[in-house]
Amino acid sequence: MEKLNQQLDFILEIDKLKHVYRQSLVKSDNNRFENSAEHSWHISLTAQILHEHAVEPVNISRVTSMLLIHDIVEIDAGDMFAFSNEKALVEQEEKELAAANRIFSLLPESQHQTFKQLWLEFEQSETSDARFAKAIDCILPLLQNMRNEGGSWVNHKVRKSQVIKRNKHLEGLAPKLWLYVCKQIEHAVQQGWLIDE
Amino acid sequence: MEKLNQQLDFILEIDKLKHVYRQSLVKSDNNRFENSAEHSWHISLTAQILHEHAVEPVNISRVTSMLLIHDIVEIDAGDMFAFSNEKALVEQEEKELAAANRIFSLLPESQHQTFKQLWLEFEQSETSDARFAKAIDCILPLLQNMRNEGGSWVNHKVRKSQVIKRNKHLEGLAPKLWLYVCKQIEHAVQQGWLIDE
């Protein structure tokens, strides 16, 4: 039963991700802030729907697992807005690594290593699976903001160049998605949802 | 671009699942009601952690996909408390089928069929993947209630026999989990969180 108890401790610990709030707004729920648990669900399923657009083949099962766990570290480290300054983002990386060490170590040893490696692979973004997972993690907030009159972009006065930089890796990974994103960014600028610089 | 637009319409439609609230309480967030999107994330990952306990081999990739989509129908049909009366549960089934027809048909035809079939497989619970997915969907609220002084059981005056009936299929599917559940139920009765009948 020891192994099962470790697994159940992990399962109950990650309940806390439902209490980590992001800058994204949930249009369908009176524009409240989105939490990282429901965001993780949404991007996992988004990856399942869109993976055919990846130029390099991806293992969608691994991508899904990555996306299910990618934000768990925020239980300790909190969420960091994607367009925060560089210094804050570097500090966040250190906090997240410490969080990964603590939270995944709740699991039995073999699962601890498997899930931590998968999380590191996502963070390092060097494999085709991780690059695609990261791209999906970037594109979904864009889709949400476009359906919500700019959403978190407007609240944080985000610039067009920041959104292009954040999504540009799509150009090589999934050209059809990149084309779509470019059109959306232009439309957002025209609407005044992104600053034109 | 037509196919991509259909996929994006689906991805944005399912955002509404974040607005469907269940009877389960989120202990880590001041005992607010849990929504079906974050619940779907939690059980998808729970299945990934616990699938080794299944007696029959399961395809965890298919189980995960099932769990990611299993509650999407609640966007139209709403959530129904697991221990509602039989008549209400039958009416709910009809609403959910209509919802599946509407929501999955937003997708391009091949994905529409794939995901609708997967949802039906989950509902019918005849394959080993679907039976395991259903079992996980039942066990997680129990874990949450046990860490929360009875949680939704107390609010709804739930009886021990109802919880046993709801989880009994675990006995054949994953005996180790069933043994754990039985002990938890006994403890819940002793604590007065479940009615002893």
Side-chain angles (χ1 to χ4, degrees), chain B residues 112-131:
Chain B
H112 165 196
Q113 294 305 331
T114 303
F115 281 100
K116 195 176 149 195
Q117 284 305 317
L118 202 62
W119 178 79
L120 280 171
E121 182 180 334
F122 174 82
E123 285 299 308
Q124 290 163 355
S125 258
E126 288 172 359
T127 64
S128 59
D129 290 346
R131 283 198 300 268

Side-chain angles (χ1 to χ4, degrees), chain A residues 7 11 21 29 34 42 53, chain B residues 7 19 21 29 42 53:
Chain A
Q7 292 170 323
I11 288 164
Y21 287 91
D29 198 11
E34 185 183 40
H42 205 172
H53 301 293
Chain B
Q7 291 169 325
H19 181 51
Y21 287 91
D29 198 11
H42 204 173
H53 300 292

